[in-house]
Amino acid sequence: AYEKELQAREISTDYADYMVAQDALESGWGTSSLSEHYNFGGVKETREGKGVKKKTKESYDGKTLTDTIDSFRQFDSLDDYVKYKIDLLGNSNYNVFAYRPDQMYNRLVTAKNKYATDPDYEKKMKAVYKTYLAI
């Protein structure tokens, strides 16, 4: 789905494997309850009164992960999710498609509005990516 949508937007399909690996990390390889809502990337909900509440961990000090409850977006289909995720990662905050695919994970943790607050997120994503490629 990522390759098809990236190609349609004339973006290198080399990003697809990185995006799938990130989804594997975020969804526990598809076992997260958010996967039932086609939210494989742990995408937060920003619209008031929408989304599904779920326990998660956030770092507020850059070191310690703290349990919290947050609202996560629900998608109607895999295609709906993929289109949204590509829009999200291509927005002016992350702008990942302006960089090499192997720099995507760094962009997600150095952006003004970080994709994830886990201080080990980039390291974890790279480990999952290596595992994903080995499968």
Side-chain angles (χ1 to χ4, degrees):
Y2 278 128
E3 287 179 353
K4 179 182 169 187
E5 188 62 26
L6 289 166
Q7 190 171 34
R9 296 178 188 214
E10 299 182 352
I11 299 171
S12 172
T13 57
D14 291 345
Y15 292 96
D17 285 338
Y18 291 90
M19 296 173 78
V20 169
Q22 182 194 16
D23 288 348
L25 172 65
E26 288 283 348
S27 71
W29 295 91
T31 63
S32 165
S33 62
L34 292 175
S35 298
E36 297 170 16
H37 305 284
Y38 298 99
N39 187 343
F40 300 100
V43 176
K44 302 267 179 77
E45 179 57 79
T46 57
R47 300 171 296 177
E48 187 68 33
K50 301 280 184 177
V52 60
K53 301 282 186 195
K54 184 177 182 332
K55 185 176 175 181
T56 187
K57 293 183 182 288
E58 297 292 342
S59 176
Y60 300 104
D61 62 4
K63 295 180 258 180
T64 309
L65 289 174
T66 304
D67 288 334
T68 188
I69 303 288
D70 214 333
S71 183
F72 292 86
R73 193 170 189 105
Q74 299 176 77
F75 295 94
D76 295 327
S77 66
L78 178 60
D79 287 338
D80 183 35
Y81 166 73
V82 165
K83 288 174 184 178
Y84 184 89
K85 181 86 178 275
I86 291 172
D87 286 344
L88 177 66
L89 298 186
N91 76 22
S92 61
N93 183 57
Y94 304 113
N95 201 23
V96 300
F97 305 120
Y99 297 85
R100 292 188 330 254
D102 65 338
Q103 295 175 315
M104 180 180 131
Y105 298 154
N106 181 262
R107 292 291 307 153
L108 296 178
V109 298
T110 59
K112 181 178 178 183
N113 297 312
K114 296 178 181 184
Y115 192 94
T117 60
D118 181 343
D120 294 324
Y121 192 69
E122 183 175 6
K123 184 169 95 176
K124 290 176 181 178
M125 284 190 293
K126 287 179 179 179
V128 171
Y129 177 76
K130 287 178 184 176
T131 301
Y132 167 72
L133 288 181
I135 294 175

